[in-house]
Amino acid sequence: MLSYEEAIDKLLAAAKPVEEVRHVPLNAAAGRVLAAAVQSTISVPPSAMSAMDGYAVRAADIQDAGTCLAVSQRIPAGAAPTSLQSGTAARIFTGAPIPEGADTVVMQEVTTATEAGVVFNEVPVAGTFVRPTGEDFLVGADLLKAGIRLRPQDVALAAAAGLPQLPVFRRVRVGVFFTGDELVQPGEPLPPGGIYNSNRYALCALLEGLGCEVRDLGAVPDNFEATRDALRRAAADNDLVVTSGGVSVGEEDHVKPAVEAEGQLQMWKLAAKPGKPLAFGTVRRAAGGESWFIGLPGHPVSSIVTFMIFVRPFVLRLQGIADVLPRGLNLTADYDWPKPDARREFLRARLSERGTVELFPNQGPGVLSSLAWGSGLVDNPPKQAVRRGDLVRFIPFSELLS
């Protein structure tokens, strides 16, 4: 069995970003992966601006409290001011450009307006409340690095620089199907021995949450030829094929031999719990080339956790994202785990109100309610017993779902 580190290294070494680049408008860019670094073509602000409603002045013109200056112009945001006349003040508003000759803004709260002009009740400090040219960024500055998933604040930064569109990688196309004669669609009558297909909705949602273009082929019977046919159809126009179920060694587990017939397996067993059976390889396309393949366990918890830990980084790397591994927190355990497994364990857990980590009492691979209850996973090394008060590595779901 491969260790966690060996499996991750193998997956990430194989994953090559899709090559096609799209130029999309800003309102369609959030959630996409930036394909090239972006530089600014302007400085922001483009000229010195006021950070306050008040009066733009030369600080040297106000030597004493009580000085009164005539108001020579009014400058709202968006106006083009004239040079400030010596010995005068300009009424100015937040975001308005500083007139040439002024070096300070005095906020209106420390002034008094009179018929003769404006009285300054305090002596200002030169440079106060002035945003200098390029305070945010200068022309030519590197704004965004390639290989990041664009967040709303990243898109806002590009907009502030006046960029109408951004270069992004094409979405990764993923075909999914689910094996098992026992699978029933929610809403249909549940026959004896049947179970509702929760993996279908979990995996499609997980892939869509990563920004993939998902093609759902539905459930496939436990049949070798049907599984081969589903693999061929899924591989035809997708970058990746993901399945759940049928990857163990039972008589009704047809995914592994079907993949070997339609392509090749590069990895199968992992020293991870949940997630021992994880099939990774390729499926040939009839038109030439191949699609990546990942087969997940059938138990709902095993399928979802294995996706979070192993499939997510692989998909992110296909998308062109550089930083793909989740970040964990070292927190105090509020539980005992006296009988650890020899494999690396990913335990369903959540943060308590005290900031400690609580463990769900039933860690069985079919207990889906443990994931809904939890807020993350404890990454527990092989054979690592835990006593209440020990530090453990907690990975929040926020690190595993996007």
Side-chain angles (χ1 to χ4, degrees):
M1 291 189 292
L2 292 180
S3 69
Y4 164 82
E5 291 83 4
E6 290 170 331
I8 286 292
D9 287 346
K10 191 174 185 68
L11 286 164
L12 295 186
K16 306 299 180 188
V18 295
E19 295 182 352
E20 298 96 320
V21 174
R22 310 280 192 263
H23 287 80
V24 301
L26 292 186
N27 59 6
R32 303 295 294 271
V33 179
L34 194 64
V38 172
Q39 291 80 34
S40 176
T41 58
I42 63 170
S43 295
V44 173
S47 64
M49 290 186 172
S50 176
M52 190 69 65
D53 290 348
Y55 296 88
V57 298
R58 291 182 180 87
D61 288 341
I62 306 171
Q63 296 294 320
D64 302 296
T67 297
C68 180
L69 298 179
V71 178
S72 56
Q73 60 179 306
R74 184 178 184 274
I75 313 172
T82 60
S83 297
L84 184 67
Q85 299 174 23
S86 179
T88 70
R91 180 72 169 113
I92 197 166
F93 298 88
T94 303
I98 302 294
E100 184 179 349
D103 59 15
T104 304
V105 172
V106 179
M107 63 179 181
Q108 62 190 21
E109 288 83 353
V110 295
T111 66
T112 302
T114 69
E115 291 185 2
V118 58
V119 175
F120 295 89
N121 301 319
E122 297 177 358
V123 177
V125 176
T128 303
F129 300 126
V130 173
R131 292 186 60 203
T133 301
E135 178 190 48
D136 197 347
F137 51 84
L138 292 167
V139 62
D142 292 328
L143 293 183
L144 300 169
K145 295 181 179 179
I148 63 168
R149 185 183 298 282
L150 291 163
R151 305 165 298 173
Q153 56 266 46
D154 300 322
V155 176
L157 187 62
L163 302 173
Q165 59 184 16
L166 290 170
V168 298
F169 287 112
R170 169 180 63 76
R171 294 186 188 277
V172 171
R173 300 173 185 138
V174 185
V176 295
F177 65 87
F178 310 87
T179 65
D181 291 337
E182 75 278 14
L183 298 178
V184 180
Q185 280 295 99
E188 297 178 358
L190 193 64
I195 59 170
Y196 287 120
N197 189 356
S198 59
N199 283 352
R200 181 177 191 177
Y201 299 92
L203 295 181
C204 286
L206 286 164
L207 288 163
E208 288 170 356
L210 296 180
C212 297
E213 184 179 330
V214 181
R215 284 84 177 268
D216 181 3
L217 280 71
V220 174
D222 280 329
N223 175 283
F224 178 66
E225 290 302 327
T227 305
R228 288 188 66 177
D229 178 66
L231 284 171
R232 288 191 291 266
R233 289 186 288 117
D237 57 355
N238 291 303
D239 305 297
L240 170 66
V241 178
V242 175
T243 68
S244 74
V247 292
S248 192
V249 292
E251 292 182 5
E252 298 300 322
D253 292 320
H254 301 293
V255 172
K256 180 177 178 287
V259 172
E260 291 173 325
E262 295 295 329
Q264 63 174 335
L265 277 180
Q266 300 179 15
M267 182 171 69
W268 181 31
K269 292 184 178 181
L270 303 181
K273 184 181 180 181
K276 178 181 177 182
L278 175 74
F280 172 66
T282 56
V283 178
R284 293 185 299 273
R285 296 189 183 116
E290 57 189 16
S291 173
W292 291 109
F293 170 82
I294 298 180
L296 298 171
H299 281 302
V301 170
S302 298
S303 182
I304 294 171
V305 172
T306 304
F307 182 98
M308 291 177 177
I309 298 299
F310 296 102
V311 183
R312 172 186 170 272
F314 181 78
V315 169
L316 294 183
R317 187 59 58 84
L318 288 182
Q319 293 176 331
I321 296 176
D323 184 10
V324 300
L325 297 180
R327 291 162 294 190
L329 304 170
N330 291 322
L331 300 174
T332 302
D334 197 9
Y335 63 88
D336 294 314
W337 191 247
K339 297 180 179 181
D341 199 270
R343 294 170 288 170
R344 188 164 182 161
E345 298 173 290
F346 296 94
L347 308 172
R348 281 88 77 195
R350 71 179 181 188
L351 289 179
S352 71
E353 294 181 355
R354 300 179 300 280
T356 57
V357 179
E358 300 175 333
L359 208 62
F360 194 79
N362 188 343
Q363 293 289 320
V367 185
L368 190 54
S369 57
S370 63
L371 286 172
W373 171 90
S375 61
L377 301 174
V378 170
D379 178 4
N380 199 52
K383 301 180 181 180
Q384 178 67 60
V386 177
R387 292 185 297 180
R388 196 178 306 270
D390 289 347
L391 286 180
V392 294
R393 184 172 184 257
F394 177 78
I395 309 174
F397 282 148
S398 59
E399 288 287 317
L400 296 167
L401 297 176
S402 60

